[in-house]
Amino acid sequence: EDSSWSLPDPQTTTIRCRKDCRSLRRRDGLIKYASNNTSQNGEDGVIKRLFGLLPFSKKRYCVDVGAWDGVHLSNTYSLLVGFNENKHHTQSEWSGVLIEADQQRFKELKKLHDGLGNISVCAEVSCDPCSPLSLLSILKRDAPDLPHNFDLLSIDVDGMDYWVMANILGLSSPESSTDSYRPNVICVEFNPTMPTDLVYVQPRSDTIRHGSSLSAFVELATASGYILVETTLFNAFFVKIELYEEFLKDEVPDTSIEALQSPLSMGTQLYQLYDGTLKLWGCKRMLWHRLPIEEKKIQMIPLNQRQFPFSPSNGENRNEEANDIRRDAIDMSPYCKKCSVNSEDSINSKLHCAAKLNSMLREDGFALVRGTGISGNLCDNALKATNIFLHEADESVRRSCLTKDRARRGYSPIATENFASLVGEEGPNDLVKKFRVGQESESSASSLHQPNAWPSSEVWNDEDASFFISSIEEYFEQTRMAADCILTAICDGITNNSDNNCSIDVPNQSSNHTSILTLLGYQYGSRHKKGSKGYMRPLVAAHTDVGIITVLLYDNGKCATLQRVANASEADPKKDEWVNINLPAGPYYNDEPVFVVNVGDCLSELTGGTLRSTLHRVMPQTCEKDDSDAARSCLALFVGLEPSASLTLPHSGEHMTYEEWRRGRIARATAVLKSKKAE
């Protein structure tokens, strides 16, 4: 029994490498001599050992295709540039032909080798056997004295290496077979991300840069009378079979790929979960582009549609839950649907809608609504745009939208704001990225009417920038109009309720409204990590919203969940009991979107507390850092009136403008916070 083993955490997914993985890779051959002078992954040492075993000739020759400047990651520098004890160049036993396409690198290459008697050629080698720039053509023209059985060929042309090797061996066309060369040793670059059982040969094209698999090179070499004797991370070494049999067989007894190639350390493996989720294993970066490979971008099935097709319920439970949420959500279409006729049915529908909405808001301070007239496609686009900006774009794109007043416009980085201060509490900063837009007005002096800060094409590509701006602007306008209808229903419900001793008349919205749309992005972080100081502490502290109402939409990213305090209708609800607020999973293109509506502080005061502004927070949920569906994107419309709107507070009878109320509300919270700090 393994005493160190224990059952995995049942609350999360366990993903790790098996402890006792065994490799057939042998380490007792040429690879044990691997070392670098200028090479990248030990090629210098392997080449030195090879030619120490092969028969010595007075003069040796090499060809380096893709020689760079003759030094950088060079496999031939140590052969062609000899040194004495004082580090001065000495005459080498090697002569070479070095080919480089880049003109600037070629200048350095030529400067290094002209004095050594080597041939430097500036040419972009073609894999077309009929081209005057094929490797055969270049060698015949520029190095006519090169022996046909020269000693070493090194090929590194980043993609078409297979076809260059085939060309010099005379396999690419019948005409070239009579003029071919047979170097004793070939060092050629293969694509290390390709599995060893995969035979992949890229098309013969000078413009395609795919690379080919090791197995493909082994087949090509075998057909040409060569055998694999070693590999490094990117390069394979082949030797003529007759030389191997006489001089190398004892050094390299097993020439199989399994014995000479390490397990796929640079490879990316994909596996499937029963519900259709695609997962990655191994290297999760694009090696040559230095970009992460994100699981969420390779999914074939939307998250809300992933289910095991042969499960007993066939996914019906999940669909039933979504249908239950939609069924229980309040249908706002009597208010949001454009209708010019006030029939008895439409009036009754409005009465029923307003009563149901107000009943829910009195009870919980929160309600779910549908039938707003906002299309599912627009919601999908707005959530996608939010995700692209807050989660996928480079941080420089977001920081191009920083403003002096980031609480009202532009980008607010993670951990720079604290919503607990809205209720006069202290706490750690919130772990959420934010981006805010609002109504612009040059004639207004209100800080809530300042210009928006959008990312420009100078820092972001035109397609993403245009999609982001257009989607968010349209969503802002459509949601603001729906919010007006929801607010009208709330006012009607309060006025129509005979149990209320008050009525409310919220001024009609105008182009001077102060509503702000805030985009929020949550991601895996320290509060998701077991053992960390902040494990499972709120991502956004408990708070209430300052304005009239909030209209909220979010996707089903699983790193976060919205919660409201339980027993919200009680005078002093317990803050240790919380209720999750769930929405149906998107995308919404075929479904009616459902929104969260909650009461803000201003509306609560205007109704004398009949409608409560309920404490709510955002909590971390168990997830893995690499989960493709971990990040959550939200859009919250904080509805505000125009600054000069006249308000009357029922408890005090006090009259004031909305701007005066808002400033007073923030000042009161600040004063409470200061007094607590002073205690």
Side-chain angles (χ1 to χ4, degrees), residues 330-337 339 341-357 489 492-493 496:
I330 300 164
D331 182 8
M332 297 303 304
S333 60
Y335 280 90
C336 297
K337 186 177 180 181
C339 182
V341 179
N342 284 325
S343 65
E344 184 176 348
D345 286 344
S346 68
I347 292 173
N348 288 334
S349 294
K350 283 188 174 182
L351 287 171
H352 176 74
C353 171
K356 189 175 180 181
L357 178 60
D492 287 353
N496 296 336

Side-chain angles (χ1 to χ4, degrees), residues 19 85 98 152 431 469 502 513 607:
K19 294 179 180 179
E85 292 180 357
L98 302 105
L152 172 65
L431 294 188
I469 295 171
C502 71
H513 68 87
T607 62

Side-chain angles (χ1 to χ4, degrees), residues 83-103:
F83 292 98
N84 60 24
E85 292 180 357
N86 297 319
K87 300 297 182 180
H88 294 143
H89 291 175
T90 63
Q91 185 63 40
S92 170
E93 66 185 33
W94 287 81
S95 292
V97 181
L98 302 105
I99 305 171
E100 173 55 43
D102 184 86
Q103 292 187 2

